[in-house]
Amino acid sequence: MATKILIPTPLRGYTDKLDVVEVEGSTVGELLANLTTRYTDLRKHLYTEEGTRRSFVNIYLNDDDIRYLDKDQTPVTADDTVSIIPSVAGGGWS
Amino acid sequence: MGLQPLVIRADADNRIRRHGQEAYPHECCGALIGRDRVVTEALALPNSTDEGPRRRFLVRPVDYLAAERRATALDAELLGFYHSHPDSPARPSRYDLDHAWPAFAYVIVAVEQATPRALTSWRLREDRSAFDEETVAVEPD
């Protein structure tokens, strides 16, 4: 079963310029694992070297942040849309 | 191979500087919209940080999506983001590096005692180890 993942502008250089990718998986975690297996260079921008997802990478299932659902265990169906949505953060010298 | 210059239209350049001035002593932030490395619009966005806006900025997902939608509506691209460094140099901090996205231009305007000064642009290296500075050219609208 394939589910759509929406790819934000800064990551499309790693997905053959595609803004939507269809990936197999029954949970959000499986989808993302399969996505980064297909497009391996994506991985370092989504995950730290320790393998945790970077804090400014937000994953939404339809309109909901998966942090408030079952995180990576959140189930998905073919009718769902998963979105990778950036937070953009930074700041001056303190 | 060097990076192509980032061209910023004069109106967008003025908006970035004015936003930095108005937000002082807090950081301002916004999106850079245009095509082919030419920024034609600087879209001001709220600084939603809860870590102290004098030294941090945050564009929330909902505002990020608004910037993507604005770019699409203009038949343009989201080229990057800008923010200000109040009383701090126009160079990316370690915090900027840790939070950077690839491919985007990161424009920084230094604001010294409420007066905009240097404006620079930076791009994340592929291995995330550092930013490279890119030349900025301000051109008439």
Side-chain angles (χ1 to χ4, degrees):
Chain A
M1 182 197 73
T3 300
K4 284 180 183 162
I5 302 182
L6 304 188
I7 309 296
T9 299
L11 298 183
R12 290 175 196 159
Y14 305 95
T15 58
D16 301 328
K17 309 240 184 271
L18 296 171
D19 57 358
V20 182
V21 176
E22 292 208 4
V23 180
E24 300 280 332
S26 58
T27 64
V28 170
E30 283 181 19
L31 287 184
L32 294 173
N34 289 336
L35 178 73
T36 52
T37 298
R38 190 186 305 176
Y39 302 107
T40 51
D41 287 342
L42 263 182
R43 189 164 181 82
K44 63 180 172 296
H45 298 298
L46 298 181
Y47 298 94
T48 65
E49 288 174 8
E50 292 74 38
T52 55
R53 189 143 53 238
R54 295 182 185 277
S55 60
F56 50 90
V57 175
N58 306 286
I59 307 296
Y60 277 60
L61 176 67
N62 304 316
D63 293 328
D64 298 312
D65 188 332
I66 65 159
R67 293 185 184 95
Y68 305 105
L69 301 173
D70 284 329
K71 303 186 173 65
D72 278 0
Q73 281 71 50
T74 304
V76 293
T77 71
D79 295 330
D80 289 323
T81 299
V82 170
S83 305
I84 301 171
I85 307 178
S87 294
V88 180
W93 298 78
S94 46
Chain B
M1 190 181 75
L3 290 167
Q4 271 188 307
L6 181 75
V7 175
I8 304 180
R9 295 291 187 211
D11 181 61
D13 177 72
N14 284 333
R15 281 175 188 270
I16 294 168
R17 292 174 182 279
R18 197 160 59 236
H19 194 191
Q21 188 166 27
E22 289 165 358
Y24 183 89
H26 294 170
E27 296 200 7
C28 71
C29 54
L32 305 169
I33 294 170
R35 288 188 79 83
D36 302 326
R37 310 256 313 138
V38 179
V39 176
T40 51
E41 179 169 304
L43 177 67
L45 295 170
N47 180 354
S48 302
T49 187
D50 55 10
E51 294 184 48
R54 284 175 182 246
R55 282 290 174 267
R56 294 285 180 260
F57 79 92
L58 173 68
V59 176
R60 295 175 302 165
V62 63
D63 295 316
Y64 175 89
L65 289 177
E68 288 253 17
R69 278 197 297 271
R70 175 68 181 159
T72 301
L74 293 172
D75 194 23
E77 301 160 16
L78 184 56
L79 298 176
F81 285 82
Y82 70 86
H83 70 283
S84 60
H85 279 184
D87 298 319
S88 186
R91 288 185 289 109
S93 63
R94 178 77 216 184
Y95 193 88
D96 287 327
L97 180 64
D98 289 343
H99 292 77
W101 287 90
F104 276 157
Y106 280 85
V107 164
I108 302 174
V109 59
V111 182
E112 189 182 318
Q113 298 298 313
T115 302
R117 302 285 190 193
L119 184 147
T120 58
S121 184
W122 306 79
R123 193 165 293 259
L124 181 67
R125 274 187 202 162
E126 182 52 36
D127 64 2
R128 304 191 62 90
S129 64
F131 279 103
D132 290 311
E133 186 169 7
E134 55 190 4
T135 306
V136 175
V138 178
E139 294 189 351
D141 294 317

